[in-house]
Amino acid sequence: IVLDEWKYPGLIMSDWFGTYDGVASIKAGLSIEMPFPAARGPKLLQAIKEGRLSESDLTGPLTRVIDYLKLTAAPKEEERRPERASPSGPSDRATFIRQAAADGIVLLKNDGILPINPSEAGKIAVIGSLATDRVLAHLIRPSYIVSPLEGLKAAFHAHPEKLVHAHGVQTHKMVPVLGAPYTDKVDFTFWNRGDRKSGGQSVVTETHNEAHVAILLRPIPGLGKEYEIEMNTTVRVAETGKYAMSVVACSDAEVFIDGKSVYTFTPKGVMDIQQQLFYSADYEQTFDVNLEAGKDYTVQVIAQSQAQSGHEPVGQGLRFGIVKHITREESLAEAVALAKESDVVLCFVGTTAEWEMEGIDRKNIALPAGQEELVRAVLEANEKVVIVNQSGAAVDLSCAAGARAVLHAH
């Protein structure tokens, strides 16, 4: 219909994982299978050898790709339109991007409580996990991240005593990935299977600031089909107590703390790349440990690569999480107590990439994980409340009807 009846001149590209029959898709005119040739790639040559695909079947899809490349080729510098020209250097880009983000903040409501003057303000309660927790997906690695609380501290640098933070309810779906403030460096060492135990040479070591590595068909020179991922880091907690730790691995994995095995991860089944990207929460396994404040703990995870199953590429990687145990009742009580003794409350709510991303559907548009209850409790405790919502799509903020100001800041 698109090519013959409508005479569409462009190429046709599939949605991610939307191709189920490679031969039929080529004959129908599909030029590009996203996100990679999962259905067609490994089977294409065999189909040609068996005569199920001819050169004429390939000519149309390939020609449309070439035509599209010619059409979208980068213009000469002098032909660029001014608004498309990128800033000249890294610092300029950072400034440009930061300004674009600031300009994207929308003031939905304000009865005069904003702006807040740091020199004139009294005690300000900063409430909510999204004042400190990461909102961006962990596959995105920006050059730097400034949390809302860090930004406020910078603005109130002359009056740091005026800002007090309460975490509020836990908003995560999965245990938050291990990173700051528990550690600032996580090493992932890749070994061809057998070399680690035999004292052989590792293939490569990557250093991340968070305990999350996903291969996603990324080639690693020297790494065979069967390998191990060894994660090493040092963890220090600020409060003594019980902590939840979590593992998401694509195959068997074992967790060691100070050299002692504390948990063995056995996968529920084969995890393909689509499941790794969008449904990793379904594969997460958690366990509890007691940790002492101020003590360094060495944490090591040994994860095996996942064996290839059929032609569909399987997921490869490792994710490790940590969070302090706290009940919703305790977190609400802490937030309410702080709100009552403060002059103004800045309450941060919203969604994260765990709740809102492509490939999954939300069951409703309510604020997830008890945040509506948090907002109502804070509004009851203090009449000067500013709600700051961080979400990439619509959320129901009817619970914030009594707030003095509402910002949409994502």
Side-chain angles (χ1 to χ4, degrees):
I1 294 175
V2 175
L3 295 174
D4 296 335
E5 293 185 23
W6 296 353
K7 306 301 180 184
Y8 175 63
L11 62 80
I12 297 176
M13 177 173 64
S14 79
D15 194 5
W16 276 40
F17 308 104
T19 304
Y20 294 90
D21 189 324
V23 173
S25 70
I26 288 180
K27 290 187 174 182
L30 185 69
S31 290
I32 298 178
E33 177 187 358
M34 292 296 290
F36 37 73
R40 293 194 301 178
K43 306 173 185 177
L44 184 57
L45 289 177
Q46 187 64 31
I48 294 173
K49 291 177 181 178
E50 295 174 356
R52 292 183 289 121
L53 278 178
S54 65
E55 182 177 337
S56 61
D57 291 326
L58 299 171
T59 300
L62 289 174
T63 299
R64 285 187 287 274
V65 171
I66 295 171
D67 291 342
Y68 187 76
L69 290 174
K70 292 178 180 178
L71 179 66
T72 58
K76 295 179 181 179
E77 188 66 32
E78 61 270 18
E79 294 176 349
R80 283 188 174 186
R81 294 183 295 171
E83 67 269 26
R84 294 292 182 93
S86 61
S88 57
S91 60
D92 292 334
R93 284 198 294 270
T95 302
F96 177 78
I97 292 170
R98 185 187 184 281
Q99 187 60 49
D103 290 345
I105 295 175
V106 180
L107 182 62
L108 300 176
K109 176 183 178 181
N110 183 25
D111 70 353
I113 193 173
L114 297 177
I116 296 174
N117 188 324
S119 62
E120 299 175 359
K123 182 176 181 180
I124 297 179
V126 183
I127 295 176
S129 66
L130 294 190
T132 55
D133 290 357
R134 179 172 176 147
V135 177
L136 289 172
H138 290 278
L139 291 176
I140 300 172
R141 303 191 184 281
S143 56
Y144 70 93
I145 295 178
V146 178
S147 71
L149 182 59
E150 290 171 335
L152 286 167
K153 286 180 177 179
F156 281 73
H157 65 277
H159 308 278
E161 75 284 353
K162 294 184 177 183
L163 292 174
V164 184
H165 177 244
H167 191 272
V169 296
Q170 300 281 19
T171 58
H172 55 262
K173 180 186 293 186
M174 301 174 67
V175 174
V177 70
L178 171 64
Y182 302 105
T183 188
D184 59 1
K185 187 183 79 165
V186 183
D187 291 330
F188 290 96
T189 301
F190 294 83
W191 302 82
N192 284 313
R193 188 165 294 166
D195 287 354
R196 181 182 59 85
K197 289 185 176 181
S198 65
Q201 183 69 33
S202 63
V203 176
V204 68
T205 296
E206 299 177 353
T207 299
H208 297 193
N209 56 13
E210 295 177 324
H212 187 202
V213 63
I215 308 304
L216 300 178
L217 299 183
R218 171 165 58 96
I220 298 179
L223 193 66
K225 292 183 178 180
E226 296 184 352
Y227 57 89
E228 292 180 331
I229 303 174
E230 177 188 3
M231 187 199 90
N232 286 287
T233 190
T234 300
V235 169
R236 176 180 290 192
V237 299
E239 298 179 53
T240 297
K242 182 184 291 185
Y243 288 77
M245 291 184 170
S246 76
V247 180
V248 178
C250 299
S251 188
D252 296 338
E254 190 169 7
V255 181
F256 300 85
I257 297 181
D258 291 341
K260 180 182 178 181
S261 177
V262 296
Y263 189 78
T264 300
F265 176 95
T266 302
K268 299 177 182 178
V270 175
M271 182 192 296
D272 63 29
I273 290 182
Q274 185 176 15
Q275 292 163 329
Q276 183 182 10
L277 286 172
F278 303 130
Y279 302 100
S280 57
D282 296 338
Y283 294 82
E284 182 182 42
Q285 297 178 21
T286 63
F287 60 97
D288 295 336
V289 295
N290 292 310
L291 302 176
E292 296 180 19
K295 180 180 177 181
D296 287 338
Y297 295 88
T298 61
V299 178
Q300 180 189 51
V301 183
I302 305 296
Q304 306 300 317
S305 61
Q306 184 176 195
Q308 181 62 42
S309 178
H311 289 299
E312 299 297 323
V314 295
Q316 304 287 4
L318 174 65
R319 181 191 187 277
F320 189 85
I322 184 173
V323 71
K324 189 177 187 301
H325 268 294
I326 184 170
T327 66
R328 182 170 294 183
E329 290 74 19
E330 290 172 328
S331 62
L332 283 172
E334 178 191 27
V336 167
L338 177 59
K340 286 181 177 179
E341 63 186 31
S342 300
D343 297 291
V344 178
V345 176
L346 305 179
C347 185
F348 289 81
V349 297
T351 61
T352 68
E354 293 178 318
W355 298 99
E356 179 190 322
M357 65 185 297
E358 65 168 322
I360 61 174
D361 293 324
R362 293 186 294 167
K363 295 180 180 179
N364 52 57
I365 62 171
L367 288 171
Q371 292 180 91
E372 290 185 344
E373 186 178 359
L374 172 66
V375 170
R376 292 189 180 98
V378 168
L379 285 170
E380 186 175 341
N382 193 308
E383 63 178 16
K384 295 182 178 180
V385 177
V386 178
I387 301 295
V388 183
N389 174 62
Q390 300 178 88
S391 64
V395 291
D396 182 356
L397 288 178
S398 57
C399 60
R404 299 279 297 274
V406 179
L407 279 170
H408 180 69
H410 185 70

